[in-house]
Amino acid sequence: MTGSNTEIHTLQTLNVDGMTCANCAMGIERTLQKKGIADVSVNFAAGEVHYTPVEGYSHEAIVHDIEQLGYSVKITQQIEKSKSWGKLEKLLVFCSIFTIPLLLHMVWPAPLLMNPWFQLAMCIPVMASGGVYFLRSAILSIRSGVANMDVLIALGSFSALIYSLIGTFWIQGEVHHYLFFETAASIVTLILAGNVIEKRSIKQTGRALEELAALKSPIALRLKHAESLDSAEEIATENVKPGDYLLIREGARIPADGIVYTGNGLCDERMITGESLPVEVNKGQLLRGGTLLMSGSLVMKASRAGSETFITDLVRLVQKAQGEKAPMQRLSDRISAVFVPVVIVIALLTFGGSLLYGIETSEALMRAIAVLVVSCPCAMGLAAPTAVMAGLGVAARKGILFKSAEAAQKLAESQIVVFDKTGTLTNGEHRIENTVEYPNDLPEKPEAYALALEQISNHPLAETLRKAFDGNNPIQLTNIAERAGIGIEAYTPEGIHLKLGSKRIFEKEPEQSHDVYLSANGILVLGINLKDELKSDVRQTVHQLKELGCRVVMLSGDRDSTCKTMAAEAGIEEVYSECLPADKITILDTLRKQGIVAMVGDGINDAPALAAADVAISVSAGSAVAKESAGIVLTARNSISDLVFAIETARATLRTMKQNLFWAFFYNVLAIPIAAFGYLNPMIAAISMALSDVVVIGNAIRLNFFKGSMKSSTSSL
């Protein structure tokens, strides 16, 4: 693949300012999709657009098209340097200065405050700034094909303004019945206030990711010579390159991913993997950028630096997951897409119906405006993404990577948790307990042939056997073939047909019971018994999963006696053993008919099973293939206890989404009729609309403080 093609298929992220609701996001999505970009997701809450570029549609063209819709695209440096006071805040302060005098006449009926020309003078600056801001956004959203909430705000505020202008210039007599300048100005100012609160509150839902991103060390000590500590020079972390040797002193953050070259120490990985205890690191062991060296001193060799480090990947992947839509969110998006036109129709019916019932024109207009202003499509649009942003961010801070919002929802709904055994429930560090040699006439010891076969095997057990049988004479083999779930076979120079693997290498099941068998021309010549230990937290994790109402299953290719022994020790009653990869898929298909299945695995042989489950979970030590197949990755070393927290967090996130959606729908269903029947004036309606957003976001922010509930079986939310 060429460099250009690689670039074309790389996911890109744009930071976009100015999106106010789900309809804004849909407008951008539709615009980019019309230009040929199929893989695009927009998170208006986070202000991000994620897309995979296509040939013929340049980055510059994409930025231009988004800005043509009325939004501004910012580069990362601009965002980092941006001040706390942005355009919205400045607009709010400016509009408030002119709106407050307009509202004073309600409590202080001074002649000047009641004067229509004074009210007009105070209202015009508000409408020329904040009003035009909403009007421009409304026009651009209609042009994109999806009317956003600013259409309702613009219609409501400018209707009040135009009606007031008619009363001022053309109506004689009781002119105050036609003056609603304070209504027009207060709608704009109150909605701006709501948007500012919303904008600042949304940032809180992404606090966990900001904490992760802040772990990056700004400087590094690079050694000119790996063996000379005196040659250290201080450089910016972004200047570190793969292959550089870096000096890490006690109390310093690791500036890049790499391995320990010399030295040792205790490393705090809590903020990245969620592990509460420091991890001992020695020569040859992996170091992750952003972790803290609590004690000791060491030299590391960088393997990944800058924007390629683990922590950068983690932040990038979680941001992408936050931008994707959970299945539940798609319902609210569909409703939001038609919400604005429906509300406009309701407002017109309210106005017309009020006139038919003999209500004065001014009162009928106020009712219609109240309907427009009290309606809140943004609350529905914020309901899911704010919960997802907070929940997935908290999980990432614990070392749990959700690759998509859909994976989080599936895990929350899962009823059956299926575990692979080796490397998932066990440490995966097999040792040979004993070997049994059977009568044979081989030219070399059977162990030598086992070593020769394992030299070319990718099986997780291969390294264990290679270490155990190292020192035997090397043997050249031909016609090598590896069969997943069965074993590996080859021929010696003398023409002996060798097979190494499970008992399936034999046509007829052998009487002897071993973990690994070696046969020569179909005859058993060596039996190998292995020992593996359960991870220390397995039994507690299984118990807690049961408390959460999950059905726990073991699914393994290992022999039946070993699986049953391990399952009994772990507290698992349901066991499927001696399964080929194809068997695992069949069993998973059967289980999926009984409930939503989460599969936890590790290793190449697990990849097909992970792909067959409703939601796949890979442990940190798993192979790259397993991680690619998984929708969720647990990054903690040698532990599965984070699975419990992952399920609790997913359930809390899903519950928060449901609560938010209920509130958003309930609010609109209740508020619109109240406004239509004249029980809400437009100013109270504007306050209500702003508060509805705050309620939804505030509920999502609670997830930032979620700690899990075990030992109890009920979540704290």
Side-chain angles (χ1 to χ4, degrees):
M1 184 178 287
T2 65
S4 61
N5 286 338
T6 301
E7 184 177 347
I8 286 171
H9 294 291
T10 302
L11 186 76
Q12 301 290 318
T13 299
L14 293 176
N15 296 98
V16 178
D17 192 27
M19 292 188 286
T20 57
C21 67
N23 288 12
C24 299
M26 281 186 277
I28 293 176
E29 282 184 11
R30 288 188 183 182
T31 298
L32 298 184
Q33 286 168 351
K34 287 176 183 176
K35 297 296 182 73
I37 296 183
D39 185 14
V40 57
S41 64
V42 183
N43 184 347
F44 89 90
E48 293 174 344
V49 175
H50 305 277
Y51 69 96
T52 301
V54 294
E55 291 186 44
Y57 194 19
S58 68
H59 171 81
E60 292 73 19
I62 291 170
V63 170
H64 175 266
D65 287 344
I66 292 175
E67 291 184 336
Q68 283 293 103
L69 294 176
Y71 310 105
S72 58
V73 179
K74 296 186 177 182
I75 59 175
T76 306
Q77 290 83 349
Q78 288 176 321
I79 296 164
E80 291 174 350
K81 294 179 182 179
S82 64
K83 298 179 181 179
S84 59
W85 276 49
K87 182 178 180 179
L88 272 179
E89 286 84 355
K90 292 175 182 176
L91 265 179
L92 173 61
V93 171
F94 179 81
C95 292
S96 298
I97 292 170
F98 293 95
T99 302
I100 291 171
L102 281 171
L103 298 177
L104 279 177
H105 78 85
M106 296 180 181
V107 293
W108 181 33
L112 176 64
L113 299 180
M114 302 293 290
N115 187 287
W117 301 103
F118 173 80
Q119 292 187 14
L120 173 61
M122 292 294 102
C123 182
I124 290 301
V126 176
M127 299 307 295
S129 55
V132 169
Y133 169 80
F134 288 117
L135 181 62
R136 182 172 179 271
S137 172
I139 293 170
L140 290 170
S141 76
I142 293 171
R143 189 185 300 172
S144 74
V146 184
N148 64 14
M149 64 162 283
D150 292 342
V151 172
L152 304 179
I153 306 306
L155 280 173
S157 58
F158 278 95
S159 295
L161 173 64
I162 293 168
Y163 189 79
S164 301
L165 289 173
I166 292 171
T168 302
F169 289 99
W170 284 283
I171 303 299
Q172 303 296 322
E174 298 293 322
V175 68
H176 63 274
H177 289 303
Y178 296 86
L179 298 185
F180 296 100
F181 290 118
E182 79 282 357
T183 299
S186 61
I187 287 172
V188 169
T189 304
L190 289 170
I191 300 302
L192 281 172
N195 286 354
V196 168
I197 295 170
E198 174 187 308
K199 173 185 170 185
R200 299 203 166 200
S201 299
I202 284 173
K203 286 184 179 179
Q204 294 296 313
T205 64
R207 189 179 66 183
L209 274 191
E210 289 181 3
E211 291 176 3
L212 281 174
L215 293 177
K216 293 187 237 179
S217 173
I219 61 168
L221 295 175
R222 182 171 62 190
L223 297 175
K224 294 179 181 177
H225 307 287
E227 310 299 335
S228 175
L229 302 185
D230 295 333
S231 66
E233 60 174 347
E234 189 175 290
I235 63 170
T237 300
E238 54 262 30
N239 293 330
V240 174
K241 296 179 177 59
D244 284 348
Y245 291 93
L246 307 174
L247 173 62
I248 314 296
R249 292 174 175 151
E250 185 173 310
R253 288 209 176 273
I254 310 298
D257 294 352
I259 59 170
V260 179
Y261 181 70
T262 59
N264 58 73
L266 287 176
C267 198
D268 182 2
E269 299 185 340
R270 189 179 326 169
M271 281 299 291
I272 291 180
T273 66
E275 294 187 62
S276 57
L277 296 176
V279 176
E280 186 175 354
V281 290
N282 301 294
K283 183 176 180 178
Q285 286 190 285
L286 174 69
L287 292 172
R288 286 169 170 159
T291 57
L292 179 68
L293 188 65
M294 296 181 65
S295 65
S297 178
L298 53 86
V299 175
M300 68 174 289
K301 184 178 182 180
S303 58
R304 302 175 72 205
S307 61
E308 300 301 321
T309 59
F310 172 83
I311 191 168
T312 306
D313 281 347
L314 180 64
V315 171
R316 187 185 301 123
L317 284 169
V318 175
Q319 284 176 329
K320 178 180 179 293
Q322 289 176 337
E324 293 180 351
K325 296 175 182 177
M328 185 174 292
Q329 185 179 345
R330 294 180 191 127
L331 169 64
S332 64
D333 283 353
R334 285 196 295 270
I335 294 173
S336 295
V338 299
F339 187 87
V340 172
V342 168
V343 170
I344 292 172
V345 170
I346 294 173
L348 291 173
L349 291 174
T350 299
F351 181 71
S354 298
L355 292 177
L356 287 175
Y357 275 93
I359 295 171
E360 290 185 6
T361 304
S362 59
E363 174 61 19
L365 180 63
M366 288 301 103
R367 291 186 181 189
I369 291 173
V371 168
L372 291 171
V373 176
V374 81
S375 308
C376 192
C378 47
M380 287 187 288
L382 285 167
T386 51
V388 169
M389 284 174 65
L392 269 58
V394 167
R397 192 166 55 192
K398 182 74 173 173
I400 301 161
L401 173 59
F402 287 93
K403 292 186 179 179
S404 69
E406 184 169 0
Q409 182 167 333
K410 285 288 187 183
L411 182 63
E413 296 169 340
S414 60
Q415 301 150 298
I416 304 170
V417 179
V418 179
F419 286 100
D420 171 61
K421 181 181 73 65
T422 305
T424 304
L425 293 175
T426 68
N427 291 314
E429 298 173 358
H430 288 83
R431 59 182 176 83
I432 294 182
E433 192 170 31
N434 60 62
T435 60
V436 180
E437 185 174 339
Y438 294 92
N440 64 83
D441 54 359
L442 294 172
E444 302 286 346
K445 293 175 61 177
E447 287 86 351
Y449 294 101
L451 174 63
L453 286 163
E454 292 294 31
Q455 294 285 12
I456 46 176
S457 173
N458 291 320
H459 194 277
L461 293 176
E463 183 61 28
T464 299
L465 299 182
R466 283 195 288 266
K467 289 179 180 178
F469 298 144
D470 190 28
N472 286 280
N473 295 327
I475 298 172
Q476 297 297 320
L477 302 176
T478 59
N479 298 330
I480 302 160
E482 190 165 9
R483 299 168 62 194
I486 298 176
I488 189 168
E489 60 182 301
Y491 286 85
T492 69
E494 297 83 11
I496 301 171
H497 187 193
L498 300 171
K499 289 184 179 181
L500 179 73
S502 68
K503 64 184 180 182
R504 292 190 181 89
I505 64 172
F506 299 102
E507 292 183 6
K508 183 180 178 182
E509 185 170 327
E511 297 177 0
Q512 301 84 353
S513 178
H514 299 289
D515 292 301
V516 181
Y517 300 82
L518 174 67
S519 72
N521 293 327
I523 299 172
L524 175 63
V525 295
L526 183 69
I528 304 168
N529 296 320
L530 303 171
K531 182 70 175 177
D532 194 6
E533 301 290 340
L534 281 177
K535 292 177 179 177
S536 59
D537 56 355
V538 166
R539 187 167 185 84
Q540 180 187 13
T541 299
V542 170
H543 174 71
Q544 290 177 336
L545 288 173
K546 290 178 179 178
E547 281 194 341
L548 289 173
C550 296
R551 174 180 158 195
V552 184
V553 178
M554 179 189 287
L555 180 62
S556 176
D558 208 345
R559 59 177 173 157
D560 186 62
S561 58
T562 301
C563 289
K564 286 181 177 176
T565 300
M566 289 286 188
E569 191 177 339
I572 300 174
E573 293 82 22
E574 192 170 349
V575 181
Y576 298 91
S577 58
E578 302 183 4
C579 298
L580 291 170
D583 298 331
K584 291 183 179 181
I585 293 173
T586 301
I587 292 167
L588 284 167
D589 286 342
T590 302
L591 291 173
R592 287 178 66 192
K593 294 175 182 176
Q594 302 165 22
I596 296 175
V597 176
M599 170 79 187
V600 189
D602 159 88
I604 293 173
N605 288 343
D606 296 329
L610 288 170
D614 291 301
V615 59
I617 305 160
S618 174
V619 296
S620 178
S623 70
V625 176
K627 290 178 183 177
E628 285 297 318
S629 304
I632 303 165
V633 179
L634 308 180
T635 64
R637 302 174 193 249
N638 203 36
S639 173
I640 61 165
S641 60
D642 283 345
L643 176 61
V644 175
F645 186 79
I647 292 175
E648 285 196 293
T649 305
R651 288 183 179 180
T653 302
L654 181 60
R655 183 162 52 253
T656 302
M657 277 194 278
K658 289 179 178 178
Q659 290 168 350
N660 282 354
L661 285 169
F662 170 80
W663 164 252
F665 285 122
F666 172 78
Y667 165 81
N668 281 291
V669 168
L670 183 66
I672 291 175
I674 291 175
F677 284 101
Y679 295 107
L680 277 180
N681 70 51
M683 282 179 283
I684 300 299
I687 294 173
S688 301
M689 197 276 273
L691 287 176
S692 70
D693 289 353
V694 174
V695 169
V696 166
I697 298 168
N699 193 37
I701 288 173
R702 292 193 307 137
L703 284 170
N704 279 324
F705 307 99
F706 182 68
K707 304 293 183 185
S709 62
M710 285 302 170
K711 302 175 182 179
S712 75
S713 60
T714 308
S715 174
S716 62
L717 280 181

